[in-house]
Amino acid sequence: MDLAYLRAHPAHLPTFLTHQRIRETPVAGGHICAAARLTLDDGHSIFTKSWPERADQPSPEGFFASEAAGLRWLREAGAVGVPEVIVALPDLLALDWLEPGEPTPTAAERFGRELAGLHRAGPPAFGATWPGFVGALPQDNTVDDRQWSTWFAERRLVPYLRRSVDGGALEGADAALVEQVIGRIGEFGGDEPPARIHGDLWPGNVLWGADGRVWLVDPAAHGGHRETDLAQLALFGGIPHLDRVLAAYRETWPLPDGWRARVPLHQLHLLLVHTALFGASYRDAVVQAAGAALGGFERATVDR
């Protein structure tokens, strides 16, 4: 099997893998899927993601189709590095192989400019035309033309707060603090038209390529707020050269007043996803983000 054959017959890939007709090398993946590098007969490599065979449950319906739709949607903007989808099957996704490289200031600045270009290619409304996932959890992508703050509260904060409380990761006082943020979200400012965003842009989903370019992987893509992507880049230690990324972004497309104070608010979505998925080990991060969001809002209000 070579790349041309695979493009013409993508549904044949599982058969070739079952009969060990392709060299397969496991690679480090995320917390959800199994990942591998496949070497084809013509020397091309591709990256595959599949649902682990030993998982307690099968992959959620539409899981890989959702990721493929998001990757194609981000890629069609022609703004930032996004791998091509080569095969999209119910239990398997195959993409371009991206050779990893080292983070550099030059690549970071290019990424900042390209990310601004991606965000500018926004859709007419929040959400997306395909069912969403973030990690292994469903994400409500219902197309919504209301203002951002209302949409973000109802579609991105409340569902994962409920899951986190129901799963025991957050207790009453924790939930009450997050609910304060949700109840006051309209006061934080920053409402903007929808941007074309990655939606799960923590540092692990940013790949620094050997070609000197940054590539985006594992999206939860949708029409959202551009500050969400930027805030997520700072999570869990932040990406290398984040200051260069932000400076280049802001030179290309300036951010509205108060954006720094809203960083914890935008991070709260992904942190709540983590408590919903992985439990109480992320409780402190949620509480800190909610407290910082309220504190930043109060300081910004005083400064006005």
Side-chain angles (χ1 to χ4, degrees):
M1 176 180 279
D2 58 20
L3 187 59
Y5 181 91
L6 182 58
R7 290 185 190 280
H9 308 281
H12 292 184
L13 181 57
T15 301
F16 276 75
L17 289 172
T18 298
H19 294 285
Q20 299 181 340
R21 297 286 301 276
I22 301 175
R23 190 170 73 191
E24 182 177 8
T25 307
V27 298
H31 298 289
I32 308 298
C33 294
R37 178 178 184 172
L38 306 185
T39 304
L40 306 180
D41 290 341
D42 59 2
H44 280 96
S45 289
I46 60 173
F47 173 84
T48 62
K49 294 175 64 172
S50 59
W51 199 259
E53 292 182 3
R54 296 183 181 180
D56 295 335
Q57 56 187 13
S59 61
E61 184 178 355
F63 178 78
F64 289 109
S66 177
E67 181 171 345
L71 286 165
R72 288 167 175 147
W73 185 67
L74 295 175
R75 184 177 170 87
E76 75 180 17
V80 68
V82 180
E84 179 187 359
V85 176
I86 298 171
V87 176
L89 300 174
D91 295 309
L92 177 70
L93 191 65
L95 314 172
D96 282 333
W97 174 260
L98 303 175
E99 196 64 37
E102 295 297 322
T104 67
T106 299
E109 291 170 2
R110 177 179 177 179
F111 174 48
R113 294 189 294 271
E114 291 183 338
L115 187 60
L118 174 70
H119 290 165
R120 281 190 184 278
F126 296 106
T129 57
W130 57 88
F133 285 88
V134 56
L137 296 179
Q139 181 161 267
D140 187 353
N141 273 354
T142 303
V143 174
D144 194 324
D145 60 3
R146 291 176 297 172
Q147 66 179 15
W148 167 77
S149 54
T150 302
W151 168 84
F152 189 71
E154 293 185 6
R155 308 284 190 186
R156 294 297 180 262
L157 297 183
V158 169
Y160 304 106
L161 173 61
R162 288 174 177 164
R163 281 180 174 268
S164 298
V165 171
D166 291 346
L170 297 178
E171 298 180 350
D174 310 326
L177 186 63
V178 177
E179 286 168 353
Q180 285 187 53
V181 176
I182 293 170
R184 300 185 66 182
I185 195 169
E187 304 172 36
F188 281 73
D191 276 292
E192 285 193 341
R196 187 177 302 227
I197 72 169
H198 178 283
D200 190 7
L201 201 55
W202 71 285
N205 288 341
V206 176
L207 194 151
W208 300 80
D211 58 357
R213 193 180 194 191
V214 169
W215 295 80
L216 304 186
V217 298
D218 294 347
H222 61 277
H225 199 301
R226 59 192 178 117
E227 290 177 15
T228 300
D229 271 356
L230 298 175
Q232 291 175 350
L233 289 172
L235 282 169
F236 313 127
I239 64 167
H241 310 298
L242 178 58
D243 57 336
R244 299 288 189 101
V245 174
L246 293 175
Y249 185 102
R250 294 173 65 197
E251 287 176 5
T252 306
W253 191 7
L255 291 165
D257 292 342
W259 70 272
R260 292 187 187 277
R262 287 189 294 273
V263 166
L265 170 64
H266 287 276
Q267 291 177 338
L268 193 53
H269 165 232
L270 203 54
L271 293 172
L272 286 168
V273 169
H274 275 68
T275 49
L277 266 175
F278 305 118
S281 59
Y282 288 94
R283 172 200 169 269
D284 288 349
V286 167
V287 171
Q288 289 169 10
L294 290 169
F297 169 68
E298 296 293 351
R299 289 192 296 274
T301 302
V302 169
D303 291 341
R304 286 172 189 163

